[in-house]
Amino acid sequence: MENIKSYVQQHKDRFINELIELLKIPSVSADTAYSQDVIDTAEAVKESLSKAGCDLVEVCDTPGYPIIYGEKIIDPNLPTVLVYGHYDVQPPDPLELWTSPPFEPVIKTTDIHPEGAIFARGACDDKGQMFMHVKALEYMVQNNVLPCNVKFMIEGEEEVGSASLAWFVERNQEKLKNDVILISDTGMISNQQPSITTGLRGLSYVEVEVTGPNRDLHSGLYGGAVANPINILAKMIASLHDENNHITIPGFYDKVQELSAEERAEMAKAPFSLEKYKNALNIADVYGEKGYVTNERNSIRPTLDVNGIWGGYTGEGAKTVIASKAFAKISMRLVPNQDWVEITELFTKHFTSIAPAGVKVKVTPHHGGQGYVTPIDSIGYQAANKAYTETFGVPAIPVRSGGSIPIVALFEKELKSKTILMGFGLDSDAIHSPNEHFGIFNYLKGIETIPLFYKYFVELSK
Amino acid sequence: MENIKSYVQQHKDRFINELIELLKIPSVSADTAYSQDVIDTAEAVKESLSKAGCDLVEVCDTPGYPIIYGEKIIDPNLPTVLVYGHYDVQPPDPLELWTSPPFEPVIKTTDIHPEGAIFARGACDDKGQMFMHVKALEYMVQNNVLPCNVKFMIEGEEEVGSASLAWFVERNQEKLKNDVILISDTGMISNQQPSITTGLRGLSYVEVEVTGPNRDLHSGLYGGAVANPINILAKMIASLHDENNHITIPGFYDKVQELSAEERAEMAKAPFSLEKYKNALNIADVYGEKGYVTNERNSIRPTLDVNGIWGGYTGEGAKTVIASKAFAKISMRLVPNQDWVEITELFTKHFTSIAPAGVKVKVTPHHGGQGYVTPIDSIGYQAANKAYTETFGVPAIPVRSGGSIPIVALFEKELKSKTILMGFGLDSDAIHSPNEHFGIFNYLKGIETIPLFYKYFVELSK
């Protein structure tokens, strides 16, 4: 398939400019202030799919943001690939840490990306990786090498829990019927060493509110005599981990799948430098659950992190106040077999139970999803591995990721098919952080590799 | 002194309206956005002192906001009363909890204030209480009953640590020479039971910053593998109290003055209903240091409270991020003999020492002050007590307050004179909280009582 290389070379400037246009629209699904932008982005995705060669493209209404569905059916007897991606992005804050505005994409070179990388919110997660599939389709249609049927399902609520997607999938099982689901919303080890994500963590995301006195109080007149909601919240959060950084919620680990010594030994083979890791983050040391190494702590082990906390006076200067309320956003990453609904209940029950009499506690579940594991002996995995091997010159390594794509488990449940996570991003791309970017090399390599997946998946399916 | 009563009756509407005008200016010293308003307030205070009868009024420049100095010297051989107050106010937030705008004063009646109370930021703390002294001077001058010399020193940085006042006092010891210092910036037990504050707590106010990774991280990819600054900050804050709510900072209690059983028994005589206290705050139970009751916890015992905390994503919806930094504002209330500078050093040393290797910690001292005790056998205390007894019909009870007026200790050190804290506010006036108010009864009663203090102080000084 040499022509894909030359086709990409021939059209790469246009491919890059088309992505840049998409990145200019601030499709932040978590903030209603951006709702029109999210809808505009959906429209732009629809047009790109039509142009790329889909026979049918629909903007499907949902209880939330629309889902873009596109398809090109060349022969009902051939396999069908369902491509999933999302057009919404994470909030860009803290804005002051961006070296260029998050929605004014610019190309800059970095040590890891000497050919340049596109800096913008969503460049990698997931507009850039989603758009690789659109351009791969364009190539296959233009050159009459599409070997099977293809369906696209691009949503706009991935960063806020995909509630509408679940609603949509449950109601469109026939329409979404497929033989394999293909997603590029993960990373790979390096530009020299591709990898395929075979495991994802589940997620339970909650918001907690601790209420003490019915109004803010003067910390001098009341300090020491009433429960201070901020001190209490800090104490409650601190108590969620023990001295070995095990999570203390009763029943939390009951269903956790322990890996065998062999599996852990296999994982340990993935290239990893603790020094480089610490230097990249500028930390003196790592920190985590006793008995596990870094690559296990962030992939095969469940975790609990506070994602945001606020309460009291946070402005300039000093205010001697005892706040009436304190808040935190807390998320737990779960591993296969942990049920996020059950974990959310365990958290709520425990967190409420540890509150002293002087405060009231409210726990509000945000969203969640189950963990997932892809068998490496599946046709999908093998096809992906052959594709990577051909474009990168080395086989891909299977890795377990700490991230969550809750809908992957949903797909298996509702659509009865396996998902292949062909990621082309890098850890250093700073997704969810200021200065998110996506390498030009990675973007074009993805467009080159995807058609090969189609080719080998059809061959291996025969 | 019956004429004071009739004078107040005759002029009370004007007295109220003049205070309302002063309350309309948002003199928030903690927020530079209000700096012009703070300066305008200083100007208004200057004019009110001139009108009230001061022979000399000056706007004294300082490194910060100006200090208003006013004086009326009738005879160098007579005693001199120095009146201190402040024209700056606390920030009004959270604004959404105010039933009327904080800088649009309105009079409303409450159960405790059937004659009505003025609702506005600063109504009680301290514009209302400060202005009582201006109106009392007006009365004494208009009616030729000022029995001694009087000096006013009204500052604009009390809510942010009085840094400029310390600077000013050190440089103007001769100008500020006095026989007693009179301050109304505290409260009394009730409108039926006056009290005089004989003890104040000291204060050490710091801001802490915990830095983990050099950028915000995806909580899925990094969760469990790096120290989360918010979780760590929560853990560090929680560790500052032990299971008995004693503060764990080494050396913190070394110089704390323990009260005798007799003194504690004396304190216990002050009327107090734990049920009413809990109901007023809508809390199921109080919370504090083991071995002490509520009225001891908030007065004779040192405390540590978080006044504000922030970090990570605090916006609408969910963001799965590990923040690079987390912050908190922490204040400690101190008791006599605890030195705030030493305590600040002990806190900084300890807080830095308990940080795990995965984070960096920065502690920035904001401001502080020493505690203070007024001897009840002093002439000033006795004069104040006689004044209250005459206007309220019952003697005042001496009480130790949990609040801090750091400059009181400074006055004794620099000016060698005692301070009398004649407070007319009530705990329920919600100072530092939304819906701060000051009773019309209290305001007018203060204006009535103050001239009697002058009268008895001069008599007792002979």
Side-chain angles (χ1 to χ4, degrees), chain B residues 105-396:
Chain B
V106 288
I107 296 174
K108 300 179 225 177
T109 59
T110 71
D111 296 349
I112 295 176
H113 298 294
E115 311 86 350
I118 303 173
F119 281 71
R121 169 59 82 226
C124 177
D125 177 16
D126 183 47
K127 285 175 175 171
Q129 296 213 72
M130 175 271 290
F131 206 64
M132 297 183 306
H133 291 268
V134 180
K135 296 296 100 180
L137 174 69
E138 174 193 311
Y139 161 75
M140 291 186 284
V141 172
Q142 293 294 319
N143 298 270
N144 292 309
V145 292
L146 178 64
C148 60
N149 306 308
V150 56
K151 297 175 179 176
F152 281 79
M153 173 170 59
I154 314 299
E155 70 152 320
E157 298 177 13
E158 197 273 342
E159 301 295 1
V160 290
S162 302
S164 298
L165 183 78
W167 177 93
F168 180 76
V169 170
E170 286 158 13
R171 286 163 181 70
N172 293 276
Q173 297 179 337
E174 189 52 38
K175 176 186 206 136
L176 300 172
K177 205 162 173 308
N178 67 81
D179 299 283
V180 69
I181 297 166
L182 190 57
I183 303 179
S184 296
D185 195 19
T186 51
M188 57 181 185
I189 290 170
S190 75
N191 286 355
Q192 295 69 45
Q193 179 55 68
S195 54
I196 299 171
T197 302
T198 54
L200 290 166
R201 289 198 285 191
L203 177 72
S204 168
Y205 199 113
V206 301
E207 186 161 321
V208 301
E209 173 188 295
V210 175
T211 304
N214 53 3
R215 57 187 167 93
D216 287 3
L217 301 174
H218 185 297
S219 68
L221 302 181
Y222 290 89
V226 299
N228 177 326
I230 301 177
N231 288 76
I232 297 297
L233 176 59
K235 195 173 168 181
M236 292 169 75
I237 289 169
S239 77
L240 296 175
H241 289 91
D242 67 15
E243 65 282 6
N244 296 322
N245 278 307
H246 293 302
I247 292 157
T248 57
I249 300 165
F252 185 82
Y253 291 100
D254 287 0
K255 297 184 178 170
V256 168
Q257 196 181 56
E258 292 287 346
L259 267 66
S260 67
E262 293 67 29
E263 289 172 294
R264 291 177 68 177
E266 192 53 40
M267 281 186 67
K269 289 180 184 165
F272 177 75
S273 158
L274 189 59
E275 276 319 301
K276 281 190 185 146
Y277 186 85
K278 290 191 290 185
N279 293 339
L281 301 174
N282 188 29
I283 51 177
D285 202 356
V286 292
Y287 186 91
E289 187 181 8
K290 193 175 176 186
Y292 298 89
V293 298
T294 296
N295 280 347
E296 295 173 324
R297 288 167 171 174
N298 63 16
S299 63
I300 62 168
R301 297 299 296 171
T303 63
L304 184 150
D305 275 295
V306 180
N307 302 110
I309 191 166
W310 67 103
Y313 184 68
T314 59
E316 189 186 345
K319 186 177 179 191
T320 50
V321 67
I322 292 176
S324 171
K325 291 175 181 288
F327 305 83
K329 293 174 192 273
I330 300 175
S331 66
M332 290 158 282
R333 295 287 168 168
L334 311 176
V335 295
N337 296 358
Q338 282 184 300
D339 175 70
W340 79 269
V341 176
E342 182 187 357
I343 291 294
T344 305
E345 284 163 3
L346 289 175
F347 174 92
T348 305
K349 187 160 171 284
H350 176 67
F351 200 73
T352 312
S353 73
I354 59 178
V359 300
K360 302 178 199 69
V361 172
K362 195 171 98 190
V363 178
T364 308
H366 254 301
H367 65 279
Q370 314 294 22
Y372 180 79
V373 175
T374 307
I376 66 174
D377 57 5
S378 63
I379 290 175
Y381 183 88
Q382 291 171 30
N385 192 19
K386 283 168 75 74
Y388 276 109
T389 307
E390 189 165 324
T391 50
F392 284 82
V394 290

Side-chain angles (χ1 to χ4, degrees), chain A residues 23-331:
Chain A
L23 291 169
K24 286 180 181 173
I25 320 175
S27 50
V28 180
S29 51
D31 187 342
T32 50
Y34 294 95
S35 51
Q36 187 53 52
D37 300 298
V38 180
I39 289 159
D40 293 346
T41 310
E43 201 51 47
V45 170
K46 173 182 180 247
E47 286 174 22
S48 69
L49 282 170
S50 305
K51 285 207 192 109
C54 282
D55 301 326
L56 166 71
V57 187
E58 301 171 340
V59 176
C60 307
D61 290 335
T62 73
Y65 288 117
I67 288 167
I68 305 304
Y69 174 81
E71 66 174 34
K72 185 167 183 68
I73 307 298
I74 60 172
D75 179 346
N77 300 320
L78 286 170
T80 299
V81 175
L82 174 64
V83 175
Y84 162 85
H86 63 92
Y87 61 81
D88 63 321
V89 300
Q90 277 277 313
D93 51 284
L95 285 170
E96 64 275 16
L97 296 185
W98 284 76
T99 55
S100 58
F103 300 109
E104 296 172 25
V106 288
I107 296 174
K108 302 179 222 174
T109 59
T110 71
D111 296 348
I112 295 176
H113 299 294
E115 312 84 350
I118 303 173
F119 281 72
R121 169 59 82 225
C124 177
D125 178 17
D126 182 47
K127 284 175 175 170
Q129 295 212 71
M130 175 271 289
F131 207 64
M132 297 183 307
H133 291 268
V134 180
K135 295 296 98 181
L137 174 68
E138 173 192 311
Y139 161 76
M140 291 185 285
V141 172
Q142 293 293 320
N143 298 272
N144 292 308
V145 292
L146 178 65
C148 61
N149 307 308
V150 57
K151 296 174 177 176
F152 282 79
M153 174 169 59
I154 314 299
E155 72 152 317
E157 298 178 11
E158 197 272 343
E159 302 294 2
V160 291
S162 301
S164 297
L165 183 78
W167 177 92
F168 180 76
V169 170
E170 285 158 13
R171 285 162 181 71
N172 293 277
Q173 297 179 338
E174 188 53 38
K175 177 187 206 131
L176 299 172
K177 205 164 173 308
N178 66 80
D179 298 284
V180 69
I181 297 166
L182 189 58
I183 303 178
S184 296
D185 194 19
T186 49
M188 57 181 185
I189 291 170
S190 74
N191 286 356
Q192 295 70 46
Q193 179 56 68
S195 54
I196 299 170
T197 302
T198 56
L200 291 167
R201 289 198 284 191
L203 178 72
S204 168
Y205 199 113
V206 302
E207 187 161 319
V208 300
E209 173 188 294
V210 175
T211 304
N214 53 1
R215 56 186 167 92
D216 287 3
L217 300 175
H218 185 297
S219 68
L221 301 181
Y222 291 89
V226 299
N228 177 327
I230 302 177
N231 288 76
I232 297 297
L233 176 59
K235 195 174 170 180
M236 292 169 75
I237 289 170
S239 77
L240 296 175
H241 290 91
D242 68 14
E243 65 283 7
N244 295 322
N245 277 307
H246 292 304
I247 292 157
T248 57
I249 299 166
F252 185 82
Y253 291 101
D254 286 1
K255 296 185 178 171
V256 168
Q257 197 181 54
E258 291 287 348
L259 268 66
S260 67
E262 294 67 27
E263 290 173 292
R264 291 176 69 178
E266 191 56 38
M267 281 185 67
K269 288 181 184 163
F272 176 76
S273 158
L274 189 59
E275 275 319 302
K276 280 187 186 152
Y277 187 85
K278 290 191 289 186
N279 293 340
L281 300 174
N282 187 29
I283 52 177
D285 201 357
V286 292
Y287 186 91
E289 186 181 8
K290 193 175 177 186
Y292 298 89
V293 298
T294 295
N295 280 345
E296 295 173 325
R297 289 167 171 174
N298 63 16
S299 64
I300 63 168
R301 297 299 296 171
T303 63
L304 184 151
D305 274 295
V306 181
N307 303 109
I309 190 166
W310 67 103
Y313 184 68
T314 59
E316 190 186 345
K319 186 178 178 190
T320 50
V321 67
I322 291 176
S324 171
K325 290 174 182 290
F327 306 83
K329 293 174 191 273
I330 299 175
S331 65

